[in-house]
């Protein structure tokens, strides 16, 4: 049953996570934290941070880690396959169709309507992370990390992987 659950936990976000990895992260979080309760919100945030710090697609790294955590190597394989299978099947089946209609105003409108939905999903995920951080380490530590991260990313254009690594080191040294 665990392999089926791992497959569904990563296949469903892969099917409905239109827009790539960032769009599917809140959906994966729902499956892993809310539905199956394999991880807490904090544990999910740690997996997400580590996955972002490593090269490659985020969803497959998370699926591999969480699948392995739940059911070993076969669980990792099931999770990674479930993550890539929707894209693989859709690419094979729909590539010709998409090329035919890529300049269609309806397709362009659909993409414009989906972007705000993705933004809302990511905003809700960020809100949950901030709420958990506030309750765990307090407002000042949370604000410090948010402000410093924002400045590093937006003002000084530091790569997100280095910001995440810096936050991990800060957390290990001062919050652990």
């Amino acid at each position: 049953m665990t392999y089926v659950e791992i497959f569904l936990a990563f296949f469903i976000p892969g099917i409905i996570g239109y827009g790539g990895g960032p769009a599917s992260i809140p959906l994966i979080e729902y499956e892993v934290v809310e539905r199956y309760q394999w991880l807490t919100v904090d544990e999910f945030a740690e997996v997400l941070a580590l996955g972002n710090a490593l090269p490659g697609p985020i969803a497959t790294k998370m699926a591999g880690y969480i699948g392995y955590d739940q059911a070993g190597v076969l669980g990792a394989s099931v999770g990674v396959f479930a993550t890539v299978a929707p894209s693989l099947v859709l690419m094979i089946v729909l590539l010709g169709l998409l090329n035919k209609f890529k300049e269609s105003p309806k397709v362009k409108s659909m993409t414009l309507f989906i972007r705000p939905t993705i933004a809302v999903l990511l905003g809700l995920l960020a809100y949950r992370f901030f709420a958990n951080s506030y309750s765990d380490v307090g407002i000042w530590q949370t604000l410090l990390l948010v402000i410093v991260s924002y400045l590093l990313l937006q003002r000084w254009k530091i790569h997100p992987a280095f910001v995440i690594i810096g936050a991990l080191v800060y957390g290990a040294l001062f919050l652990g």
Side-chain angles (χ1 to χ4, degrees):
M1 192 61 175
T2 301
Y3 298 119
V4 173
E5 291 173 347
I6 291 170
F7 182 82
L8 291 175
F10 293 101
F11 186 77
I12 292 170
I15 288 250
I16 59 176
Y18 180 83
S24 63
I25 290 171
L27 303 171
I28 293 172
E29 190 262 351
Y30 171 78
E31 295 289 331
V32 169
V33 174
E34 300 293 327
R35 185 171 181 193
Y36 293 111
Q37 300 178 344
W38 292 329
L39 300 177
T40 65
V41 172
D42 289 340
E43 291 168 337
F44 184 82
E46 291 170 0
V47 171
L48 178 62
L50 285 173
N52 268 328
L54 299 172
I58 182 73
T60 53
K61 290 179 282 187
M62 294 179 70
Y65 174 80
I66 295 168
Y68 181 81
D69 187 52
Q70 293 303 307
V73 173
L74 187 56
S77 300
V78 169
V80 171
F81 176 73
T83 302
V84 298
S87 297
L88 180 65
V89 170
L90 288 175
M91 280 184 62
I92 291 170
V93 173
L94 299 176
L95 190 57
L97 199 59
L98 283 174
N99 278 334
K100 185 176 179 180
F101 295 107
K102 71 180 178 185
E103 297 301 324
S104 165
K106 289 182 181 178
V107 172
K108 289 183 179 180
S109 295
M110 181 182 74
T111 301
L112 288 176
F113 285 116
I114 290 173
R115 286 183 184 161
T117 304
I118 293 168
V120 168
L121 289 172
L122 288 173
L124 288 173
L125 182 65
Y127 172 77
R128 291 182 65 182
F129 287 167
F130 290 138
N132 277 354
S133 177
Y134 172 73
S135 69
D136 289 347
V137 298
I139 189 70
W140 298 115
Q141 297 290 343
T142 302
L143 281 177
L144 175 70
L145 288 171
V146 167
I147 291 169
V148 170
S149 297
Y150 177 80
L151 291 173
L152 290 171
L153 291 169
Q154 294 300 314
R155 187 169 186 133
W156 295 298
K157 306 295 183 197
I158 303 295
H159 192 277
F162 295 120
V163 175
I164 291 169
I165 291 169
L168 289 171
V169 170
Y170 179 84
L173 293 177
F174 299 108
L175 304 176

